[in-house]
Amino acid sequence: MKSQTSRSLKAVSMLAVIALASCASSLKAPSSAPNLVSKPEQASTTNAPAKEVVPRPLLIKSAEISLQVKSIEEVTKAISALIKQQQGDILELQDFRSGNSDMEQSVFLRLRVPQERLDLMIDAIAQLGIVKGRAIKAEDVSTQLVDLQARLKNLRQTEVQLQGILQQTGSVGDVLKVTQELSRVREEIEQIDAQFTNLKNQVAYSTIQVRLLSAISTIAPQSDLGTQLQNTWNSAANSFTVVSIGLLKLAIWLLVYCPYWLIPLAIYLFLRHRHRQLAQASKPDSNVSSD
């Protein structure tokens, strides 16, 4: 009984030591992490001093380019052919074109190509039209990758140690504790491994955002004489229709507001008629007085 109790206490103490070791190794991961880049080759001659080779940084690159083109349809097909040739993919395509030829038409594409072919792809796209804007961005993730790789190595070592403890412990309580810790370590390994894989994919493939703009013609095309006469006739007929409708509307308004202008008109006509009657009545009197 005492031997079983001592073995349980020993297993618990080993578990605590491993947990502390995994925490400490995670904090010191960058210093103990292996290099992701290959070591520099040794000098070919023993006498020549070895030159220190600075490893290239691991970058996540992205680019943007805006083009003015004559035919959006043809340039879109050309870009599709280019992206297949460079072993890339079209991740997104948005068509903002409308039926109105007087408005600027545009198409947006988001591409993905291997990073070593990014510059070649940008130069090839720039040849398809007039470049209106161009930009390239890069983010150094070397430290993040080294840190994640070191944490993965330490966590996998902890996983192996916990599996060894799980085979040695005998009590149910110890087995449950070791199992819970092993499950936590494995979950953390999966999360970090997913982050590490995602960063490596972003380093390996670069994204390109392409916006195609159609050129708008500022000079109206000249039409023949028959078309011009037809357009003039249509304009005149349309103007006649508009004027006729306007006069009809005016007549309706005058008819509706007739009480406001008929009464003053009636008063004016009455006064005018009365004035004429008075003028005619005054004429005989003037003739008699002259005789």
Side-chain angles (χ1 to χ4, degrees):
M1 184 67 180
K2 291 182 179 180
S3 61
Q4 184 177 0
T5 304
S6 61
R7 191 167 60 180
S8 301
L9 293 175
K10 183 178 179 181
V12 173
S13 61
M14 289 178 65
L15 177 61
V17 170
I18 291 173
L20 292 175
S22 62
C23 295
S25 60
S26 299
L27 293 175
K28 299 179 180 180
S31 60
S32 61
N35 269 332
L36 292 180
V37 295
S38 58
K39 295 182 178 180
E41 297 180 355
Q42 295 181 354
S44 58
T45 59
T46 55
N47 296 329
K51 295 182 180 180
E52 184 180 357
V53 177
V54 179
R56 293 186 59 185
L58 301 175
L59 304 176
I60 296 177
K61 290 185 177 182
S62 61
E64 298 179 4
I65 186 170
S66 178
L67 291 178
Q68 186 177 19
V69 298
K70 294 181 179 180
S71 175
I72 290 182
E73 195 72 27
E74 294 179 1
V75 174
T76 302
K77 292 180 181 179
I79 291 176
S80 300
L82 282 172
I83 200 68
K84 290 180 181 179
Q85 183 181 0
Q86 300 300 327
Q87 300 179 357
D89 302 292
I90 298 178
L91 302 180
E92 185 179 357
L93 190 152
Q94 297 182 13
D95 194 338
F96 299 100
R97 288 178 292 176
S98 62
N100 190 356
S101 58
D102 295 333
M103 296 179 61
E104 188 178 56
Q105 314 293 314
S106 64
V107 167
F108 172 81
L109 299 99
R110 189 160 65 93
L111 314 174
R112 183 179 65 177
V113 293
Q115 188 183 107
E116 63 273 9
R117 303 186 181 184
L118 174 63
D119 296 335
L120 181 63
M121 188 67 187
I122 288 293
D123 293 337
I125 294 175
Q127 301 298 324
L128 299 176
I130 302 174
V131 178
K132 294 296 183 180
R134 184 172 178 176
I136 297 179
K137 300 178 183 178
E139 179 185 0
D140 190 354
V141 293
S142 305
T143 304
Q144 299 180 36
L145 286 170
V146 171
D147 178 68
L148 291 174
Q149 191 177 24
R151 291 173 63 186
L152 278 174
K153 180 181 178 181
N154 294 327
L155 286 171
R156 289 194 175 106
Q157 291 177 355
T158 303
E159 181 185 14
V160 173
Q161 294 174 358
L162 288 174
Q163 289 174 349
I165 294 175
L166 189 61
Q167 295 176 358
Q168 296 176 4
T169 55
S171 65
V172 178
D174 294 338
V175 170
L176 289 176
K177 290 180 181 179
V178 176
T179 303
Q180 291 177 357
E181 183 65 18
L182 184 59
S183 176
R184 185 193 65 80
V185 170
R186 285 175 176 172
E187 182 179 358
E188 190 172 354
I189 288 175
E190 292 178 357
Q191 294 176 355
I192 296 177
D193 186 56
Q195 297 177 16
F196 183 74
T197 304
N198 184 34
L199 280 179
K200 285 199 303 182
N201 289 336
Q202 293 184 47
V203 170
Y205 289 90
S206 301
T207 58
I208 306 174
Q209 296 184 3
V210 183
R211 185 171 296 277
L212 305 178
L213 306 173
S214 65
I216 302 177
S217 178
T218 57
I219 302 176
Q222 296 293 332
S223 57
D224 55 0
L225 179 60
T227 304
Q228 294 180 12
L229 293 176
Q230 181 66 32
N231 293 336
T232 303
W233 174 262
N234 293 336
S235 300
N238 186 33
S239 176
F240 175 78
T241 303
V242 172
V243 172
S244 300
I245 294 175
L247 293 175
L248 182 60
K249 290 181 178 179
L250 178 62
I252 293 174
W253 279 90
L254 292 176
L255 182 62
V256 171
Y257 285 92
C258 63
Y260 293 99
W261 61 269
L262 283 179
I263 294 175
L265 181 61
I267 294 174
Y268 171 74
L269 294 176
F270 173 76
L271 294 176
R272 184 178 179 183
H273 179 69
R274 182 66 177 171
H275 179 71
R276 287 180 178 180
Q277 288 180 350
L278 293 176
Q280 292 177 359
S282 62
K283 285 182 179 181
D285 296 339
S286 60
N287 293 331
V288 172
S289 60
S290 63
D291 292 340

